Amino acid sequence: MAKPQPQYISVSRRTDIPRFFSRDFFAAWREGSVTYDGGYGRGYTVSLRDEDVLGYIFWSKDFAPFLAAPEFDALLGRANALFHFTINHCPELEPRVAPLGERLATLARLCERVGPERVLWRFDPVCRYVGSAGSARENLAPFYEILPTVAGLGIRRCYFSFMTAYAKHQRRGVRFLAFTPEEKRNLSREMAAAATKQGVHLYNCCNPELLAAASPIRQAHCIDDDLLASTDRFGRHRALQRKPTRPGCGCAASRDIGSYAQRCPHGCYYCYANPQR
């Protein structure tokens, strides 16, 4: 049997591994493989040996524990890595996320350690909901408050999307409201104008109708073949096939090693995965 080709490892769309499960990740990394619960009673084992890994894409709302891990610098010395850092600010919907000031301080430390070209800001998702006072509210205003800090650190990419509400969201006790297509276009144009003034490029996930209607917004590739190639320090990158995860997704292929069984203690009401309530 032919040996599998080296691949990029995503850590993780399914739960916040850098914040809550970093010890488990680094233990597996030291051992050279990880076994995760793929659901439906299926377990999968993936090699994390250097020769089997093209690089890592990390996702988190709070990289502080990850940065504090003694293995962090060793991993950077052996593998390419990109970091999706989601920073919103809506305590009603994010009940156990660290205070914004602490997360921005962590963002600054991350940029200093890995370089801002490897850090991608996510303001995601943009949503409207019925607040505790009974009136409709949006979580968009903090985008304009956070943007200057992000730009000042040298980060040049922001990824966003408008929330898709599923039945499971309504069961969490918060009523989410839809944006009209015109509202999405207008809000996206305002975001893009502000980002452009700060030298930040806006990338949209899974709302393809906005790409032509709200220029200069670009198609998001959260697993981005070109960016992974340009930031590769070890000469391991190879061209990747496109492998979208849902309609409108522009991602290239990677292997996600997270599990929905690792319920995220952040408990965000808009989470697409499996938050701990």
Side-chain angles (χ1 to χ4, degrees):
M1 181 181 295
K3 184 178 179 179
Q5 284 191 307
Q7 59 191 333
Y8 281 99
I9 305 297
S10 175
V11 192
S12 162
R13 289 184 174 98
R14 297 171 182 151
T15 191
D16 196 330
I17 287 178
R19 172 60 183 87
F20 296 109
F21 306 102
S22 60
R23 287 187 179 182
D24 295 334
F25 168 77
F26 280 117
W29 179 72
R30 291 194 305 270
E31 291 294 325
S33 69
V34 61
T35 298
Y36 66 92
D37 181 350
Y40 305 101
R42 297 174 300 185
Y44 299 93
T45 298
V46 177
S47 173
L48 301 182
R49 294 171 61 88
D50 291 347
E51 60 267 29
D52 296 324
V53 174
L54 297 174
Y56 294 90
I57 300 94
F58 295 105
W59 315 65
S60 185
K61 283 179 172 290
D62 187 353
F63 279 101
F66 210 61
L67 287 170
E71 300 93 341
F72 181 79
D73 287 330
L75 182 144
L76 291 181
R78 289 165 49 182
N80 191 39
L82 296 179
F83 300 82
H84 283 275
F85 201 147
T86 300
I87 304 182
N88 296 30
H89 182 55
C90 186
E92 275 193 301
L93 300 181
E94 304 163 347
R96 291 187 291 277
V97 175
L100 178 60
E102 292 182 13
R103 287 178 285 139
L104 291 176
T106 299
L107 178 67
R109 294 198 302 273
L110 179 62
C111 288
E112 184 177 0
R113 296 277 288 276
V114 307
E117 70 278 5
R118 293 183 173 82
V119 181
L120 315 170
W121 175 35
R122 302 188 71 85
F123 190 90
D124 189 46
V126 177
C127 55
R128 177 181 288 158
Y129 64 101
V130 177
S132 57
S135 57
R137 303 190 63 180
E138 297 171 3
N139 71 335
L140 186 54
F143 170 82
Y144 299 96
E145 301 167 10
I146 298 167
L147 175 60
T149 298
V150 169
L153 292 171
I155 296 170
R156 293 293 172 255
R157 291 176 176 240
C158 174
Y159 293 71
F160 82 104
S161 68
F162 287 91
M163 180 183 178
T164 299
Y166 299 101
K168 64 182 178 181
H169 291 112
Q170 306 303 341
R171 293 194 293 267
R172 293 173 186 168
V174 172
R175 182 184 171 201
F176 288 98
L177 307 173
F179 293 96
T180 68
E182 183 178 7
E183 287 173 329
K184 289 181 182 180
R185 288 193 296 270
N186 291 337
L187 292 171
S188 297
R189 290 187 188 111
E190 293 170 4
M191 293 174 69
T196 299
K197 288 181 180 178
Q198 296 282 349
V200 174
H201 302 298
L202 211 57
Y203 293 79
N204 179 262
C205 291
C206 301
N207 303 122
E209 70 277 8
L210 298 178
L211 301 180
S215 179
I217 294 174
R218 305 177 183 184
Q219 167 71 54
H221 306 276
C222 301
I223 309 295
D224 190 312
D225 188 30
D226 291 338
L227 182 59
L228 289 165
S230 68
T231 56
D232 177 20
R233 295 171 293 130
F234 299 92
R236 296 178 188 163
H237 181 78
R238 59 175 174 81
L240 303 175
Q241 293 183 337
R242 185 177 173 186
K243 192 174 182 180
T245 60
R246 57 184 175 133
C249 173
C251 280
S254 66
R255 182 67 175 266
D256 198 300
I257 61 171
S259 169
Y260 293 121
Q262 298 169 298
R263 303 185 69 174
C264 179
H266 277 143
C268 300
Y269 286 92
Y270 51 66
C271 182
Y272 294 137
N274 194 14
Q276 187 180 94
R277 303 304 314 152

